[in-house]
């Protein structure tokens, strides 16, 4: 997917021949449920063009004189950096409210609606990270500029799910037909839930690998089964390693276990090593939302199937595509 | 005042036909006493042009390659965000020293003069927020680049007063002839003092509404009276609501009262509700420097007379105008 | 050295006729040992051009759409501000991770290699400040984009040494032939060690002035002596003030002394006053890496020989030159 074309897109052509190109214009981006197959196709095509632009020239002046307010009530260097770089590579600027908000006046008494209605006077788009579920929707309700949800606690983190899915497409050339295994904490893992939701737009086989106490929530399992998907749950990654086209790994936190002996007993079921990957397909990818803390050994990094840092890079392209799609009106 | 013109100003024309246009070139902006009627006229005309530019194109490249150092010794997300956005929409860049300065080397032992003389090596203008009165003047004394006072503790916050006055002009189309009521804490409220000073350049009636212990300071009252203004003090906003063209509301802090029973007794005199506004003129505006904590009920937000978020927006235009006026030399 | 030319360099000409101009392209900048005389000549010539550009036009669009990640694990307002301004005056953008990193996810568990490999997905260059010696080399080992060491604890801070040397050249017109006195804490002072290393590329006389317990480390003294330099150590700045062309002052920290009486006895030997400077040459310079805390009295600031704030300014030019040299490929 990444072969360089001689003709790279510019400000005038970047939206050319993209079906449904105004689908996101001035829209909030709050949840993965907003995205159907057609919208995903559009977004991923635009993200792929962003990749070409960045690789060829570093950026493109689509959002000159536009301002993004990055309002992070909890620090997230990875996510805020990604949005900041995305805006800057589009020629735009950022108000970085990304560190120490908890100490600032924003959080001293002022309500989220008032903060949002203040920032929209300065900025064209608000990217919000907030510890409370539903906060992004609240912000979007009050704001007249688009709000992008960069994580609302146990709620959603839609741009992570989008970059995950885009990574599968970029790495494997397709999504339909793949066998996708999710490994680790499937109960509390916000990213695996959102990714699973998005995958229901595609024709895939799903394998869920987790300890008993961290199984995929019942309602999501039922949704997947009712939709007729080939889905299987197991306790041990070894059972799926041979068939997986995508191994999506998340961390199993020790703290989730009341019985630490149990944790010690199962933890190796969810750790990715070169030995494990020896049983994997030659063409497959290992993904991880990062940061990792031991669940993928460093020796795996050298394996060409280790896609987690390329996954981070795709976050840049997806966020560039989203910002451009939200703030630019393509020609009719 | 906001009707869009077909011909929007650009880099070459934005200063055209503005009398007194070099009044602020390379000047510090420290106090409202620097501003006479002529300078206010110039600034507000330029700010109005900035509004047109932002509404039409997002910004204007007047300050390309210019750098603003935002040096905030105490966090103020609202004010720093406003200055950052203003600089960015002028095509300039920002060094954001806006969060956690209290933990950084800047505050570890180094004197304010040395910090300022360091930052001016990197930046073309310094915006300073500092908890001590007089700090902005000290910084300006040592700096060879312009210093803009973004609040020096109990001292001044001139850009707030300027945006307040500009808002009255934008909302009402004029300032002369209006009846302006200030409500709440008139004793400690820095903004109402500065706004009152500026209003002495205009022909207005003044109404001051506060609890006894939070009355406008004697010296400022005497200054207003000596200048021959029609001025009246009351305890209850109901007494002025019918005649006010502008209702400028500030918070009455519970903590100011030694006798809490007294606070409970009077607090409703200073709370703005739809019921109160039913007695107000059809064409008037409610303003507030924000953040608010209960003194204007949320139901008022929908009222077209509620101008406090438009007031925030005007802060962007005023700061754009000030930065441009300070850093750009208009043609003779 | 600073006389303005009528023809200022632009994007197309800034690298013209600079020998060895691709010496730093895509290189890490980790230690002063990377710099020989030829590379210093190149860097200083480019820095001098940056000065001309900034003085004439504020900046130059060499790094448009390029992004710098400023990753500061410990706050350093001075250094981070300098890099931020340098990148912005080159037309580039910054991801500012400069305040509160210790509280953010970057430092919660994630390893430096993973953090660096994440940030390089967003940024074209990483500027790293970290409290541990060797951290910059570790980061550079894992990163595929250039890493610039902005101080790795007791290790190096090469851009400080480069700006110090550049300042001597700019102020005195030459380096060869000068007598350079370093004063204060020569034992723990990272900057004086690096500067001394760099001076071994030049023909200079060295004078080291320090308390007994803060003398220049033995290995560095031996290196200087073995290279045949005219070098002398003394306890009192008065002994060298008459011959010094450069007086490089650092702080003698009270905390270094176990016997405070000893500190009180010697401290005046290392304090720069107008009275001391009365004995200095008419053409010489006083330098300091800043911040100062009493070791140079404020009355000295007015003396034209006081070069420490011009030294700060030269940091901007050196960092602009380094960023341009690392990220731009000059024509063959």
């Amino acid at each position: 997917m990444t072969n360089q074309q001689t003709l790279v897109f510019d400000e005038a052509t970047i939206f050319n021949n993209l079906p449904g190109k105004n689908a996101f214009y001035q829209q909030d981006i709050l949840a993965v449920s907003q995205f159907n197959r057609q919208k995903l196709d559009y977004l991923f095509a635009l993200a792929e063009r962003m990749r070409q632009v960045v690789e060829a020239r570093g950026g493109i002046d689509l959002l000159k004189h536009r301002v993004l307010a990055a309002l992070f009530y909890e620090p997230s260097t990875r996510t805020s950096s990604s949005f900041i770089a995305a805006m800057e590579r589009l020629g735009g600027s950022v108000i970085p409210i990304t560190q120490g908000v908890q100490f600032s006046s924003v959080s001293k008494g002022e309500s989220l609606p008032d903060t949002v209605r203040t920032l929209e006077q300065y900025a064209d788009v608000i990217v919000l990270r907030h510890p409370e579920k539903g906060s992004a929707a609240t912000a979007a309700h009050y704001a007249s500029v688009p709000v992008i949800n960069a994580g609302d606690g146990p709620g959603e983190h839609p741009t992570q799910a989008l970059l995950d899915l885009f990574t599968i497409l970029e790495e494997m050339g397709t999504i339909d037909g793949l066998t996708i295994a999710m490994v680790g904490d499937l109960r509390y893992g916000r990213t695996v839930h959102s990714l699973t939701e998005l995958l229901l737009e595609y024709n895939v086989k799903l394998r869920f690998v987790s300890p008993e106490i961290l199984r995929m929530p019942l309602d999501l399992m039922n949704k997947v089964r009712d939709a007729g998907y080939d889905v299987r749950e197991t306790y041990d990654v070894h059972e799926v390693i041979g068939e997986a086209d995508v191994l999506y790994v998340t961390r199993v936190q020790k703290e989730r276990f009341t019985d630490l002996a149990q944790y010690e007993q199962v933890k190796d079921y969810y750790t990715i090593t070169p030995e494990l990957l020896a049983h994997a397909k030659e063409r497959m990818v290992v993904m991880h939302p990062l940061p990792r803390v031991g669940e993928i050994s460093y020796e795996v990094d050298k394996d060409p199937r280790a896609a987690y840092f390329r996954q981070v890079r795709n976050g840049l392209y997806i966020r560039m595509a989203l910002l451009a799609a939200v703030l630019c009106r393509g020609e009719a």
Side-chain angles (χ1 to χ4, degrees), chain A:
Chain A
M1 296 298 285
T2 65
N3 57 324
Q4 200 66 37
Q5 299 178 7
T6 42
L7 199 67
V8 172
F9 295 94
D10 62 17
E11 287 80 358
T13 61
I14 188 102
F15 288 102
N16 278 3
N17 304 316
L18 288 179
K21 65 185 147 193
N22 277 327
F24 301 110
Y25 183 63
Q26 289 296 320
Q27 298 298 302
D28 304 302
I29 306 294
L30 301 178
V32 292
S33 60
Q34 295 175 254
F35 293 83
N36 59 22
R37 181 69 178 256
Q38 190 196 9
K39 288 180 179 176
L40 292 169
D41 287 348
Y42 162 52
L43 186 69
F44 294 161
L46 189 54
E48 171 55 28
R49 292 181 184 190
M50 292 299 173
R51 170 198 299 281
Q52 293 172 30
V53 163
V54 169
E55 289 178 351
R57 291 194 314 266
I60 182 170
D61 272 353
L62 284 172
L63 300 183
K64 193 166 155 61
H65 292 142
R66 300 291 156 182
V67 175
L68 178 159
L71 178 61
F72 279 61
Y73 282 87
E74 49 184 19
S76 172
T77 304
R78 184 181 314 278
T79 303
S80 63
S81 296
S82 182
F83 272 108
I84 290 171
M87 190 66 182
E88 291 175 342
R89 289 189 187 275
L90 289 165
S93 299
V94 177
I95 305 172
I97 315 172
T98 54
Q99 288 158 2
V101 177
Q102 60 274 33
F103 308 118
S104 88
S105 59
V106 154
S107 64
K108 271 189 216 135
E110 190 176 61
S111 67
L112 180 61
D114 272 16
T115 298
V116 161
R117 283 183 289 187
T118 293
L119 286 177
E120 74 176 353
Q121 308 302 326
Y122 309 142
D124 302 284
V125 58
I126 296 171
V127 172
L128 176 70
R129 175 89 158 208
H130 195 285
E132 283 169 42
K133 185 172 176 171
S135 53
T138 300
H141 176 74
Y142 285 95
S144 58
V145 303
V147 170
I148 298 180
N149 182 3
D152 59 340
E156 289 223 32
H157 186 12
T159 62
Q160 177 70 44
L162 292 166
L163 76 89
D164 290 342
L165 194 57
F166 179 58
T167 299
I168 297 174
L169 176 64
E170 290 281 293
E171 293 285 328
M172 301 302 292
T174 180
I175 296 169
D176 286 314
L178 299 184
T179 298
I180 293 167
M182 301 187 193
V183 180
D185 179 353
L186 306 186
R187 182 167 176 195
Y188 302 101
R190 184 172 60 179
T191 60
V192 290
H193 301 166
S194 293
L195 179 57
T196 300
E197 297 269 8
L198 282 180
L199 284 170
L200 297 184
E201 295 289 324
Y202 297 83
N203 178 22
V204 294
K205 292 180 190 169
L206 292 168
R207 301 293 175 260
F208 296 135
V209 186
S210 75
E212 176 62 34
I213 60 165
L214 296 175
R215 283 175 62 188
M216 192 62 90
L218 196 66
D219 56 342
L220 193 49
M221 275 307 296
N222 285 337
K223 193 170 174 184
V224 171
R225 279 208 196 89
D226 292 352
Y229 279 79
D230 177 348
V231 57
R232 209 150 44 84
E233 294 181 276
T234 74
Y235 294 134
D236 190 343
V237 70
H238 292 83
E239 292 185 26
V240 306
I241 189 65
E243 63 170 327
D245 298 300
V246 174
L247 201 66
Y248 192 101
V249 185
T250 65
R251 180 149 57 114
V252 172
Q253 287 180 274
K254 208 177 190 166
E255 299 76 45
R256 301 290 188 199
F257 289 80
T258 46
D259 178 358
L260 278 187
Q262 199 187 357
Y263 169 76
E264 293 298 329
Q265 202 179 340
V266 305
K267 69 174 180 181
D268 286 348
Y269 292 2
Y270 314 102
T271 304
I272 313 304
T273 61
E275 292 69 40
L276 177 74
L277 285 184
H279 303 287
K281 289 181 178 177
E282 201 172 328
R283 181 153 189 249
M284 56 85 69
V285 286
V286 180
M287 295 172 61
H288 192 294
L290 300 182
R292 61 173 160 178
V293 187
E295 59 273 25
I296 300 180
S297 76
Y298 283 100
E299 294 87 53
V300 171
D301 297 358
K302 289 182 288 279
D303 194 308
R305 296 170 291 187
Y308 26 91
F309 290 114
R310 297 192 294 274
Q311 188 181 351
V312 173
R313 179 82 161 198
N314 288 329
L316 177 68
Y317 304 136
I318 281 290
R319 288 169 181 129
M320 287 178 74
L322 274 174
L323 289 170
V326 162
L327 292 175
C328 295
R329 196 201 308 261
E331 302 306 308

